[in-house]
């Protein structure tokens, strides 16, 4: 059994650019694992902030929260307690997971990195669970030592190399107190059944079962990383936020085509579909005629082939009667997870992506709504064209057309998202800099926060 040392934990975190006295947000449940982690991090010289989540799942939940708060105060670690509303029915574990992720994101709003106390035994249990669920290489790789909550904020598991027995030894040596959750003994939960019945049985024949299972998870992680690298090569520059150019992928063999599509789907706010459904969608995308638009339904949206592209669209459509107003400089939040429109002064927004729009016509306030039918564009020549014709000419997938925010003044269409601006509102050489704006459509939450 490899013992836990302060230097070894420092080395793991330093691997990802995290060194004392950096701020780390430590998830603390009150159990052995997290109490040991908080103690180690404090001794290692980090600026530790504890987060305890009260799931309101047991009568003693509030007592647990008070106990954790008292122990963290003794350790001189500030603690935030977040209380979840009781959940009745449905998939509690899934809903708790989403709620915890949101709490951790809020805790990291200012700075810091999330650290959790997952260990070698957790890794072995996860691999067995995923095997029994028929997971692919992505699921079988287990938990990575370092992951990301979003595009910038890290989640590190510095104890993955240590067994639970090593954590118990550390706790005994340093007099670390912890609580035992009685629900951890309930073998109606799959993980508890594997922990208390399956792994001990395996160890009667293979003593190092936990270690070798964790090693297999690490090897599968390497294999999965190679598969992702190959997918990025195959995809090339063909992937956008919500679409994938498949013109080159259609010529790949089935395994590489499926691998590339899986990697792209994982960039969406979706779970991978079952293997059987994905393979059937791949077959249809290969074989269907150019006039067809075969699709793959996912939990939150649909992937549809349009011409030589796979296009992802959420199921939630914008309300047909929705409208808003935007004034430059300023922003407008759109409904139905459609992000944000932003008007930034061009002179101070060199890094902004979008199109230029001038307010020199004297109408700085724009009405925003979505397509209702019959809208017309005014070309530079002064002639009109229907919005429908414009969208067809520019290969905008049908499923996306009703989701493009449109900007109007006095009932006239002057801009289509960040794709087109009426010639009368395009900046001229003599426009004052403060009257020229960059119109951008931010679909990603991290973009909208800039």
């Amino acid at each position: 059994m490899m013992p836990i040392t302060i230097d070894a934990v420092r080395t793991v975190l330093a691997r990802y650019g995290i060194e004392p006295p950096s701020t780390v947000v430590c998830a603390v449940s009150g159990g052995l694992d997290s109490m040991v982690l908080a103690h180690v991090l404090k001794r290692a010289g980090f600026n530790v902030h504890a987060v305890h989540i009260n799931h309101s799942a047991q009568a003693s939940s509030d007592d647990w929260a008070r106990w954790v708060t008292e122990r963290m105060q003794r350790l001189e670690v500030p603690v935030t307690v977040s209380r979840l509303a009781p959940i009745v029915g449905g998939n509690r574990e899934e809903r708790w997971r989403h709620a915890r992720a949101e709490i951790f994101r809020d805790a990291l709003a200012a700075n810091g990195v999330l650290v959790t106390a997952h260990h070698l035994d957790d890794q072995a249990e996860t691999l067995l669970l995923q095997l029994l669920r028929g997971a692919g290489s992505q699921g079988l790789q287990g938990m990575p030592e370092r992951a990301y909550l979003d595009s910038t904020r890290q989640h590190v598991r510095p104890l993955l190399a240590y067994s639970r027995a090593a954590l118990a030894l550390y706790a005994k040596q340093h007099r670390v107190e912890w609580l035992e959750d009685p629900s951890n003994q309930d073998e109606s939960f799959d993980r508890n059944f594997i922990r208390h019945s399956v792994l001990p049985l395996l160890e009667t024949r293979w003593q190092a079962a936990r270690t070798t299972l964790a090693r297999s998870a690490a090897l599968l992680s390497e294999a999965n990383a190679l598969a992702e690298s190959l997918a990025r090569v195959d995809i090339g520059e063909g992937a956008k936020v919500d679409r994938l150019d498949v013109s080159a992928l259609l010529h790949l063999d089935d395994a590489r085509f499926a691998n590339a599509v899986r990697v792209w789907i994982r960039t969406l706010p979706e779970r991978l579909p079952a293997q059987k459904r994905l393979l059937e969608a791949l077959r249809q995308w290969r074989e269907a005629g150019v006039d067809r638009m075969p699709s793959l339904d996912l939990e939150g949206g649909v992937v549809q082939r349009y011409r030589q592209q796979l296009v992802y669209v959420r199921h939630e459509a914008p309300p047909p009667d929705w409208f808003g107003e935007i004034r430059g400089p300023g922003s407008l939040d759109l409904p139905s997870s459609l992000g944000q429109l932003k008007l930034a002064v061009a002179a101070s927004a060199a890094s902004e992506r979008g199109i230029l729009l001038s307010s020199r016509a004297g109408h700085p306030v724009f009405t925003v709504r979505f397509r209702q039918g019959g809208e017309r564009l005014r070309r530079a020549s002064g002639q009109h064209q229907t919005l429908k014709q414009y969208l067809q000419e520019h290969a905008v997938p049908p499923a996306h057309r009703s989701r493009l925010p449109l900007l109007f003044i006095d009932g006239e269409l002057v801009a289509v998202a960040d794709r087109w601006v009426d010639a009368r509102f395009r900046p001229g050489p003599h426009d004052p800099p403060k009257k020229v704006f960059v119109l951008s459509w931010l679909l990603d939450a991290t973009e909208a926060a800039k």
Side-chain angles (χ1 to χ4, degrees):
M1 177 180 62
M2 183 169 62
I4 298 173
T5 67
I6 300 302
D7 286 344
V9 171
R10 278 201 196 105
T11 298
V12 171
L13 290 164
R15 196 177 297 153
Y16 307 112
I18 309 156
E19 298 191 41
S22 298
T23 297
V24 292
V25 175
C26 181
V28 179
S29 67
L32 168 67
D33 314 343
S34 59
M35 293 300 289
V36 166
L37 178 59
H39 190 274
V40 171
L41 293 170
K42 181 66 177 179
R43 286 185 63 210
F46 289 96
N47 177 24
V48 185
H49 184 102
V51 173
H52 175 77
I53 299 177
N54 180 349
H55 292 77
S56 306
Q58 302 175 35
S60 59
S61 293
D62 291 341
D63 294 333
W64 272 59
R66 282 190 290 272
W67 186 92
V68 168
T69 300
E70 290 172 1
R71 296 314 183 275
M72 290 298 103
Q73 288 172 346
R74 291 182 192 175
L75 196 58
E76 297 183 342
V77 168
V79 59
T80 299
V81 176
S82 296
R83 195 176 195 277
L84 303 183
I87 295 175
V88 179
N91 188 332
R92 289 198 310 172
E93 288 294 335
E94 182 73 12
R95 292 164 69 182
W96 277 341
R97 186 159 40 247
H98 287 300
R100 286 194 297 266
E102 190 63 33
I103 289 169
F104 291 140
R105 277 192 287 268
D106 289 343
L108 294 167
N111 55 28
V113 58
L114 174 66
V115 288
T116 55
H118 298 102
H119 49 76
L120 184 142
D121 293 41
D122 293 326
Q123 192 75 292
E125 293 163 9
T126 299
L127 178 60
L128 284 175
L129 274 172
Q130 295 292 68
L131 278 169
L132 293 168
R133 291 169 179 167
S137 61
Q138 179 73 11
L140 294 176
Q141 69 178 335
M143 297 175 287
E145 188 173 76
R146 190 268 298 271
Y148 283 89
L149 293 175
D150 54 32
S151 60
T152 58
R153 288 172 284 195
Q154 297 186 84
H155 172 195
V156 180
R157 300 176 174 93
L159 301 182
L160 272 185
Y162 303 98
S163 66
R164 192 176 193 278
L167 272 67
L169 176 62
Y170 179 95
K172 181 179 179 181
Q173 291 172 336
H174 297 278
R175 298 181 180 180
V176 176
E177 298 178 279
W178 75 89
L179 296 173
E180 287 288 354
D181 186 346
S183 68
N184 287 339
Q185 305 302 315
D186 184 356
E187 293 195 26
S188 66
F189 293 104
D190 292 341
R191 184 177 288 275
N192 288 344
F193 176 68
I194 286 176
R195 178 178 302 160
H196 299 300
S197 294
V198 176
L199 275 171
L201 177 61
L202 290 174
E203 286 175 322
T204 62
R205 189 172 186 95
W206 297 282
Q207 293 182 359
R210 296 170 201 260
T211 302
T212 53
L213 285 167
R215 186 187 309 138
S216 292
L219 292 171
L220 285 162
S221 179
E222 288 184 16
N224 189 67
L226 289 172
E228 291 207 14
S229 295
L230 178 61
R232 286 193 289 271
V233 170
D234 288 338
I235 291 171
E237 300 296 321
K240 308 298 181 186
V241 172
D242 55 3
R243 65 190 64 195
L244 175 66
D245 184 347
V246 292
S247 56
L249 302 181
L250 294 173
H251 304 293
L252 299 175
D253 60 48
D254 290 346
R256 284 180 66 174
F257 185 21
N259 180 55
V261 171
R262 282 194 200 95
V263 168
W264 174 68
I265 288 178
R266 284 201 292 268
T267 67
L268 306 175
E270 292 283 358
R271 286 187 170 189
L272 284 173
Q275 175 79 346
K276 183 178 180 180
R277 292 181 55 239
L278 178 60
L279 292 179
E280 174 57 22
L282 294 172
R283 184 193 66 77
Q284 292 184 25
W285 291 335
R286 277 191 191 277
E287 299 176 4
V290 293
D291 59 329
R292 305 288 300 278
M293 291 185 288
S295 61
L296 169 66
D297 278 318
L298 302 172
E299 290 182 8
V302 61
V303 175
Q304 187 176 67
R305 193 199 73 185
Y306 176 65
R307 299 184 183 178
Q308 294 294 302
Q309 291 186 328
L310 296 183
V311 180
Y312 172 72
V313 181
R314 291 179 181 270
H315 288 315
E316 185 183 7
D321 57 350
W322 183 91
F323 73 93
E325 289 187 343
I326 184 170
R327 179 194 302 266
S331 61
L332 174 67
D333 291 329
L334 301 172
S336 307
S337 304
L338 285 174
Q340 184 185 84
L341 280 181
K342 186 175 180 181
L343 277 170
V345 178
S348 60
S351 64
E352 297 283 350
R353 297 198 308 271
I355 53 176
L356 295 177
L357 182 150
S358 172
S359 64
R360 69 184 189 279
H363 297 283
V365 181
F366 300 89
T367 300
V368 181
R369 65 169 174 81
F370 295 91
R371 188 180 177 205
Q372 297 176 349
E375 294 88 357
R376 296 171 66 82
L377 310 174
R378 184 193 297 269
R379 289 188 172 278
S381 64
Q383 294 181 327
H384 283 85
Q385 178 189 29
T386 66
L387 177 59
K388 180 179 179 180
Q389 290 172 328
Y390 171 86
L391 298 174
Q392 288 174 337
E393 287 179 7
H394 290 78
V396 178
H400 276 183
R401 296 174 188 176
S402 64
R403 303 172 68 81
L404 292 171
L406 309 177
L407 278 71
F408 294 83
I409 284 182
D410 296 332
E412 280 200 86
L413 180 61
V414 298
V416 178
D418 52 3
R419 297 167 176 261
W420 174 88
V421 171
D422 186 298
R424 294 170 298 166
F425 290 84
R426 293 173 190 163
H430 303 296
D431 283 336
K434 291 185 178 180
K435 290 289 187 178
V436 179
F437 300 94
V438 178
L439 171 63
S440 52
W441 182 19
L442 310 177
L443 281 166
D444 180 79
T446 56
E447 281 191 290
K450 291 178 182 177

